[in-house]
Amino acid sequence: MYLACLCAENFRIFGAAPQKDGDKDASLSLDFGPATNVLVGENDSGKTAIIDAIRLCLLTTAADFYRITRDDFHVGPDGRAGTFKITCGFKDLTTEEQAVSLELLTTDDDGNVALYVTVKAELMDPLRPHRVAVTRRTGRDGQGPALDGAARELLKATYLRPLRDAEAELRSGRGSRL
């Protein structure tokens, strides 16, 4: 299985999808291939936001704990968004992977089996930045069943922090030399 697509609305630098004809599309929509994919861009172009969006969908494990805060919600001309949505689509599932997540699967536009995971976050109290309600559901529109334990294990991944974080730890003496 591989991550085939990522869509994000109102997450950090990525704004809203068009609501009506003529609206600007400020959301993120990326397609990935089954081989190695590389993100290249200038500073503050959204590379880390893309990695963190994937992290949220994959339920990654890492030494650091990632908590969604008010700063993760897009700020546009109309102010801060109250919700955001991230969807990851996975394709080329093996027979075993399909069996583990059978009731969670969807067919894509080409009729192939796919697993879509959508994370939706909503600010509960604008004055308390850590009061965020989060739901994680399946289906293209995020209206499918919630992920069960077996599917969570299937998607669990390890997040490798950016090299600059590892270099900073080495300089501070907290990290170990390789």
Side-chain angles (χ1 to χ4, degrees), residues 3-78:
L3 175 63
C5 61
L6 170 68
C7 298
E9 296 177 38
N10 290 322
F11 181 68
R12 296 193 189 161
I13 71 165
F14 306 109
Q19 301 300 311
K20 59 184 187 287
D21 287 340
D23 283 356
K24 179 183 173 198
D25 188 355
S27 66
L28 171 71
S29 182
L30 290 176
D31 291 322
F32 300 104
T36 302
N37 294 267
V38 178
L39 298 175
V40 177
E42 296 181 19
N43 290 345
D44 294 326
S45 62
K47 299 180 304 291
T48 300
I50 290 167
I51 297 300
D52 287 343
I54 295 167
R55 262 179 89 182
L56 287 170
C57 279
L58 290 181
L59 305 162
T60 63
T61 58
D64 58 336
F65 178 73
Y66 184 80
R67 179 188 306 247
I68 296 171
T69 68
R70 184 175 185 262
D71 293 335
D72 290 318
F73 293 80
H74 179 71
V75 177
D78 299 329

Side-chain angles (χ1 to χ4, degrees), residues 41-140:
E42 296 181 19
N43 290 345
D44 294 326
S45 62
K47 299 180 304 291
T48 300
I50 290 167
I51 297 300
D52 287 343
I54 295 167
R55 262 179 89 182
L56 287 170
C57 279
L58 290 181
L59 305 162
T60 63
T61 58
D64 58 336
F65 178 73
Y66 184 80
R67 179 188 306 247
I68 296 171
T69 68
R70 184 175 185 262
D71 293 335
D72 290 318
F73 293 80
H74 179 71
V75 177
D78 299 329
R80 186 173 304 279
T83 62
F84 73 70
K85 180 172 115 174
I86 301 166
T87 302
C88 287
F90 303 90
K91 295 185 178 177
D92 286 351
L93 282 76
T94 66
T95 304
E96 293 83 17
E97 291 166 338
Q98 290 180 39
V100 166
S101 52
L102 187 60
E103 65 279 355
L104 310 175
L105 300 177
T106 306
T107 53
D108 65 15
D109 294 333
D110 300 323
N112 300 312
V113 172
L115 173 62
Y116 291 93
V117 176
T118 299
V119 174
K120 292 181 183 176
E122 179 179 0
L123 281 172
M124 298 298 291
D125 182 352
L127 300 177
R128 297 175 68 192
H130 294 293
R131 297 276 302 165
V132 178
V134 179
T135 59
R136 193 171 275 106
R137 302 192 68 83
T138 58
R140 280 191 114 163

Side-chain angles (χ1 to χ4, degrees), residues 136-173:
R136 193 171 275 106
R137 302 192 68 83
T138 58
R140 280 191 114 163
D141 56 3
Q143 300 297 317
L147 286 172
D148 59 18
R152 284 177 184 243
E153 280 299 313
L154 179 66
L155 292 176
K156 193 184 290 187
T158 300
Y159 172 68
L160 301 176
R161 289 182 304 204
L163 185 56
R164 67 177 182 274
D165 292 348
E167 290 172 349
E169 281 189 15
L170 283 175
R171 282 193 300 275
S172 72

